[in-house]
Amino acid sequence: MNLLLVDDEPLLIKSLLLIDWQSLGFTEVYTAYTASQALKLISQNEIDLLISDIQMPGLTGLELYEQVIPNHPNMLCIYISGYEKFSFAQHALKLHAIDFLTKPVRDEELLSAVTIAVSKITARNKMDKQLAERKLISRILNKQELAEHLFQIPFFNTNNSQLQLLVLEYRQTDILLENLITSVKSLIDKSSSKYFESFFLSNFHNQLIFILKPKQSISDAIWDLLLNNIQLLLQQTLFLTVKLLHFKDPVNLLDLPETLIQLRNRLYHLPSNGKSIFTFSEHLQLPQIQYTISELHVSPTFQELFDIEDFGKIYKKLDLIQQEVLSHHLDSQAVRDEVTFTFINSLSYLISIRNSTVLKNIRDALILVNDDRTFKSFSQLTEYLKKITHEFQEESLKKNTFSLVERINQLVKGNIEQNVTASWLAEALNYHPAYLSKLYKEKTGMNLKDLIFQEKINYAKRLLQNPEIKIYEVSERVGFNNVSYFSAQFKNKTGMTPLVYRNLTLKYLDHD
């Protein structure tokens, strides 16, 4: 760090130079007796801390700092003045000075202010260094810089032959990413500094990737203890549920971009089998997963089912897919994405032909939660897909209530010779029987069973107009196996038996 002392009193400068500035972290100490001399020194050197008088010939110390701060925003300042003017102190605070001290300055006062400044400078330099390293690594991983440039970072200067990768996959957290990275690295170092150094490499979705540099030979048993301890610390300290993936094979820094691409691809297909700590070797040879979810692609597809609003079959298809995934241990991020994208595409197709705001909102919400990697298991995804399907079903029902009533009427009339019941209608329309009965009653004032009975009687009347059809045949065709029971019900509804009704109707028709 570099220090600049500015005061028009040579004796004060001389007394300040008696302080052991090197022990405080300053490698260079510059002096100036006027603001113009200070401006020249600042233009030629990188000054970290300015200690300046206020009242000087020419520019004041306040005006000096005001002039240089736009081009040197990281420079800190401590003011020393022989005047206890409130306006001076107020102006100094507006300029974000570290402190405003009045002469004669006591050593402990000055050292306290300098210690605060040094702490701020050190923290800033550390952050600047980390930021520069992050930018360099990002450019290397994106192949905008040569991998050889990694050796510019001190961590990679020595002992690179045994570098290993540690991936920390975490569930959703409210901790800001930068704070999360800092806290996780601190806990890793705290628990394992005896055995290895760590370096944060990059983050990808909900994964933090670190490079580990072992300080000694570490047995498999010790590695297991270290990883379990890291996982426990993260849980207890940050309330973070994590999965740890340790890759023991030495990392070749020159192949780092390709290695990370391969790593992410393999992790993407890694099955979710309940384990939380994994160790891999043989150069990232994770299990190769060959999968195809047959139920996802067989007809009727989600797109076909959404198009005809067959919600019952959508729920059933989701259950069959989940059963297939879980029974074959296929649950991975890749599989969850495949199902999610198929769902998204189906919704997008509907939006293209219906221009529904509700559908757009449902689809966009699904895209958002998938991008955030919200679902950590296929079961969670299935429940969410059922939830949004129900939202679509509810919206569709609001818009099509009366068309549903009409579909019920058509189904009853068109299938009266079958054993039509509320359950049969519910299955045909993919609704619960109780819900369908309640809806029909609310919209028409009639019970479903009364509708069905009325249509049977109406159909029986039409059949009875044909003298060639026997009465027992009419009874069977409208769903009554017992002709006597049919006759009683017909009479109860019309006031006459089927035979009397036939004779009167045929007589009337002959008269016409």
Side-chain angles (χ1 to χ4, degrees), residues 401-420:
T401 297
F402 288 101
S403 65
L404 181 59
V405 169
E406 185 59 34
R407 287 171 69 189
I408 291 172
N409 291 336
Q410 291 174 355
L411 276 172
V412 172
K413 291 178 181 178
N415 298 275
I416 202 65
E417 290 193 10
Q418 297 187 40
N419 185 26
V420 178

Side-chain angles (χ1 to χ4, degrees), residues 128-228:
D128 289 347
K129 177 187 173 187
Q130 290 176 346
L131 181 60
E133 290 176 349
R134 294 263 191 93
K135 287 182 178 179
L136 175 61
I137 288 173
S138 177
R139 292 181 63 81
I140 290 171
L141 296 182
N142 289 314
K143 299 185 179 180
Q144 297 170 320
E145 293 262 1
L146 295 175
E148 288 89 338
H149 292 169
L150 275 172
F151 298 111
Q152 296 175 13
I153 300 174
F155 181 88
F156 299 109
N157 279 343
T158 57
N159 302 324
N160 291 323
S161 60
Q162 296 299 318
L163 296 179
Q164 301 176 18
L165 287 171
L166 177 67
V167 179
L168 185 148
E169 187 173 285
Y170 59 91
R171 293 191 178 181
Q172 196 169 8
T173 176
D174 294 329
I175 304 174
L176 294 175
L177 178 60
E178 198 59 41
N179 294 339
L180 180 66
I181 292 169
T182 302
S183 300
V184 169
K185 185 182 184 313
S186 175
L187 287 172
I188 290 175
D189 292 343
K190 177 182 178 181
S191 64
S192 311
S193 59
K194 177 181 175 182
Y195 296 95
F196 59 75
E197 297 176 66
S198 72
F199 184 89
F200 173 71
L201 192 63
S202 68
N203 64 285
F204 183 73
H205 286 302
N206 61 328
Q207 296 169 349
L208 305 181
I209 303 174
F210 293 85
I211 283 191
L212 309 181
K213 183 192 290 185
K215 297 179 178 179
Q216 55 182 284
S217 178
I218 306 175
S219 66
D220 290 344
I222 295 296
W223 270 120
D224 289 342
L225 288 172
L226 291 172
L227 295 175
N228 276 286

